[in-house]
Structure formats: structure tokens, C-alpha cells
Amino acid sequence: MIAIGHLVGYGAGSLDLLKVFGTTMGDSQFKQLTLIAAVALILAVGVTSYAVQERILIAGRDSDAKNGAVKMVTQIYKTTLHMPGRIQAICWVQFWAWIGWFPFLFYSTTWVGETYFRYSAPEQVQESKDALGDIGRVGSFSLVIFSVITFIGSVLLPWVVRSPEDEKVVFTPRPPASLVTVLTQVERYQPDLLTAWTLSHFIFAGSMMVAPFVTSLKLATILVSVCGIPWALACWAPFAFIGIEINKLGAPGAPVGHSYRRLSTESSVELERSSSVLRINHQSEDAHGSTGELAGIYLGILNLFTTLPQFVGTFISMIVFSILEPGKSPELAKGAHPDEHHSTDGPNAIAVCLFIGALSSIGAAYATTRLRHAQS
């Protein structure tokens, strides 16, 4: 579904919306795309809010209500510091990977468009009155191809990659004798999800390391498109692995010695299956919360490790832009005085940001290999 959303959004960006809608929705490509994105977001959130039914939360003790948000944030912080080993390893993979992904998702459209304007665009295109819209359309087309590859990968990779095993196989498969040799060879070379995730980091890193040397629209488009394969795994692998670990922690008979900490040390969760009410009535001696409570805590922490790289990437980008391109873009700020434009003789600042992200992705690949040996 993420790939389909990408495909629709980037497809709209690759069209000349001013010719399609006129100026009714705005007088530039960017304004119209912003309006379309806002309407789509409102519809998606509205449908979700209407369709999803949640249990009503009722606190069993007055003290729970008095603790407030401070205690909740404190407990989440403590939980983050004392996560089980494998969940912690997954979060660090996500952290290093997304330092690379955020610049790509933020700037790849502009990078492809700037590459086209600087090295490939004819003179009449360079004199366009809507340079920002033209750059957006050129860049969006490359991301349409990226989205198509992501969609294909999302459909095919689960059939090609061996699923992570949460428990040992309790039976011995006995295929027909005529297929034993073929199936044995296929199984021998079929990668597991962890190996595929590791390779995806290297694919992304290899593609983005070439970015500073790109001088043609075709090569820029190819590099962006290739990243559709690692993006398909980035949207799948971390949630698959953390789901497995959450199920292990919430399973009956799970060891009580792991370092999971509850959000509330005074209560646990009791689900009334016959109603839509969720009551907080745990006893302190309970070793584990419900799987739903575990999922909420650890998925929230995973989201934290996905969000923090945005600040890191933005800070790195700020430094790179201030050094390499301290002025205004000659492609976008055509109305500015020429003295205010930055030089285009050196390396493209966005390409350098993508290169730095590639180095971080190599770190993510190393962290992924450590995940194989991490202890719960």
C-alpha cells in the first residue's frame, strides 16, 4: 500500500497540473500538489478514524490518572535504555538506515531536476517561468519508476526471500523424489530476510555513492529507480523482525529475566473480551503485559529511532549546504540578483548529502549483520 501511495503521489507530480486544472487550485505546480496531498491526507485519516474501533480505557486506580504524562515519558525512556538485545539491535539498524533515507526522500526529486537543468536541459527549458514545477515534474518521473520497482519488489520479494523463523520446524518436508534435487538447490541459495535486508543497505549505499559524479538525467533516474528495491525491504523487514520479537516476549512461558519494563509498575492490563472496554487492573507481580501493550511500547520506540535520524540528517544537510551552496539556487531563484546565486562549478550539495547517507547505510548494513548474533 505504501508503494501504491508513492505511485499515485509521484504520478501526480510528474503531470503538468496547471494544464490539467488551470489556476483554480493554485498558480503553480507546487501549490496544487500541496493541496492534493492535504486532501488525500484528510481523506485517509478520516476513513481510518471512522473504520477503526478501539476499546475504551478505564483506569482502575485514581493514582494512574494523577501520574500524568511525565511518568509515562520517564517509563518510556527507561524502557528504551533497557530494551531486549534483539529489539535494541533492530532499532539501531533503523537509526543508521534512516540517516541515509531521509535525505533521499527529501531531496531526490530536486537532485534529479537540478541535474537535468544543469547538464541536459535545452535553453528554452532553462528559461522556464515555472522552474520549480519543471524540476518537480522531471524528478517525480524518476520517482514514479522508483515506485513501480518498489511495488513489484513488495509483491515478489516475499516469495523469493525466506521468511524469518520464529520457531524451529517441527516436521520434515518430503517432496516428490523427482523434485528433491531442484528444491534442495533452490533452498540452498534462497536468502533469508536478514541477508536480504543487509544486501539492500549495500544496494542503496552503492547507488548513492555515485551521486556526486552524476552529470546526466538518465543516470540520475537509474540510480533513484534502483533504490526502489532497498526501499521495499525498508518498509517490510524492520517491522517483521520486531513483530517476531514482540511475540516472543508476549508468549506464555517467556523468560521473566529479560529487561522489558512496563509503562506502569502499579498496574497491568485486563481485557474484557465481552465488551469494548480496556481496564487497567494489573497486579505488580505480573511478569508480562499483553502482547498489545508490548507492541505499543516497542513500536513506539522503533518509531522514535526512525524519527531521530531526521534531525541528524537535517543538521548534516544544513552544514553541507552552507559550505557548498551558501547562496540561492540559480535554477530556482531566477528573480534574484546573480551575485546572490551560488556557484554550480563544484559538487552538487544534495549529491554530497546523498553520499553521506550512503556511508550511514553501510553502518546500517554492519548493524544488520550483528542482529544475527544478538541475544534476546
Side-chain angles (χ1 to χ4, degrees):
M1 296 304 295
I2 293 176
I4 294 175
H6 283 323
L7 190 58
V8 173
Y10 294 133
S14 65
L15 300 175
D16 190 343
L17 297 180
L18 288 174
K19 291 183 179 180
V20 177
F21 299 110
T23 58
T24 305
M25 298 169 53
D27 58 0
S28 69
Q29 178 90 355
F30 182 76
K31 291 179 181 179
Q32 295 196 4
L33 279 175
T34 301
L35 181 60
I36 293 173
V39 172
L41 182 62
I42 291 172
L43 289 175
V45 174
V47 171
T48 302
S49 301
Y50 174 79
V52 175
Q53 294 183 351
E54 297 181 296
R55 287 187 173 94
I56 301 172
L57 176 63
I58 299 178
R61 293 185 178 92
D62 293 336
S63 60
D64 292 334
K66 297 177 181 178
N67 288 329
V70 175
K71 182 174 181 179
M72 180 183 67
V73 173
T74 302
Q75 291 296 332
I76 292 177
Y77 174 73
K78 291 180 179 179
T79 304
T80 304
L81 295 180
H82 300 88
M83 287 188 294
R86 289 185 61 82
I87 292 181
Q88 188 177 60
I90 294 168
C91 288
W92 279 113
V93 172
Q94 193 79 335
F95 177 84
W96 292 111
W98 276 84
I99 291 178
W101 278 115
F102 269 117
F104 177 87
L105 297 174
F106 285 167
Y107 303 129
S108 57
T109 302
T110 306
W111 173 63
V112 173
E114 282 189 354
T115 301
Y116 171 66
F117 265 67
R118 291 185 184 183
Y119 303 107
S120 306
E123 185 175 351
Q124 61 269 25
V125 175
Q126 295 182 0
E127 299 299 326
S128 171
K129 296 181 179 180
D130 186 19
L132 178 61
D134 291 336
I135 286 178
R137 280 188 289 273
V138 172
S140 294
F141 178 74
S142 67
L143 288 173
V144 168
I145 303 175
F146 162 86
S147 302
V148 171
I149 293 177
T150 299
F151 177 77
I152 295 174
S154 300
V155 174
L156 296 182
L157 283 175
W159 296 92
V160 176
V161 176
R162 188 166 66 250
S163 300
E165 296 178 350
D166 193 8
E167 55 186 3
K168 296 181 179 180
V169 179
V170 295
F171 66 93
T172 303
R174 294 182 175 85
S178 59
L179 299 178
V180 169
T181 303
V182 176
L183 293 178
T184 301
Q185 292 297 323
V186 170
E187 185 177 9
R188 178 182 302 175
Y189 295 105
Q190 184 182 21
D192 58 20
L193 182 56
L194 192 61
T195 301
W197 196 17
T198 304
L199 291 176
S200 73
H201 296 311
F202 284 116
I203 293 173
F204 178 78
S207 299
M208 293 299 97
M209 280 185 172
V210 183
F213 310 102
V214 172
T215 57
S216 70
L217 173 63
K218 182 180 295 185
L219 181 55
T221 302
I222 291 174
L223 293 178
V224 170
S225 302
V226 168
C227 291
I229 298 174
W231 179 244
L233 281 157
C235 295
W236 166 32
F239 303 100
F241 283 116
I242 203 164
I244 290 174
E245 298 306 316
I246 289 171
N247 286 336
K248 287 180 180 178
L249 295 179
V256 297
H258 67 74
S259 52
Y260 160 68
R261 291 177 179 263
R262 312 185 57 79
L263 279 180
S264 174
T265 57
E266 299 177 355
S267 63
S268 56
V269 174
E270 174 187 345
L271 300 182
E272 295 186 359
R273 299 181 181 273
S274 60
S275 67
S276 59
V277 176
L278 176 63
R279 296 186 182 276
I280 305 297
N281 285 314
H282 278 300
Q283 302 300 323
S284 59
E285 61 269 15
D286 290 343
H288 300 282
S290 65
T291 303
E293 186 184 11
L294 288 168
I297 295 169
Y298 287 122
L299 286 175
I301 294 174
L302 180 67
N303 186 58
L304 182 66
F305 276 78
T306 306
T307 305
L308 289 177
Q310 179 176 352
F311 298 98
V312 177
T314 301
F315 180 73
I316 293 173
S317 300
M318 178 187 69
I319 296 175
V320 171
F321 283 118
S322 63
I323 295 175
L324 297 180
E325 297 182 357
K328 297 182 179 180
S329 170
E331 292 85 12
L332 300 179
K334 293 184 178 295
H337 191 276
D339 293 340
E340 299 180 26
H341 291 163
H342 62 70
S343 174
T344 58
D345 295 334
N348 186 295
I350 296 178
V352 173
C353 293
L354 296 176
F355 180 86
I356 295 173
L359 298 179
S360 180
S361 188
I362 293 176
Y366 172 71
T368 308
T369 58
R370 293 185 61 186
L371 176 60
R372 189 180 300 276
H373 307 290
Q375 300 295 323
S376 299

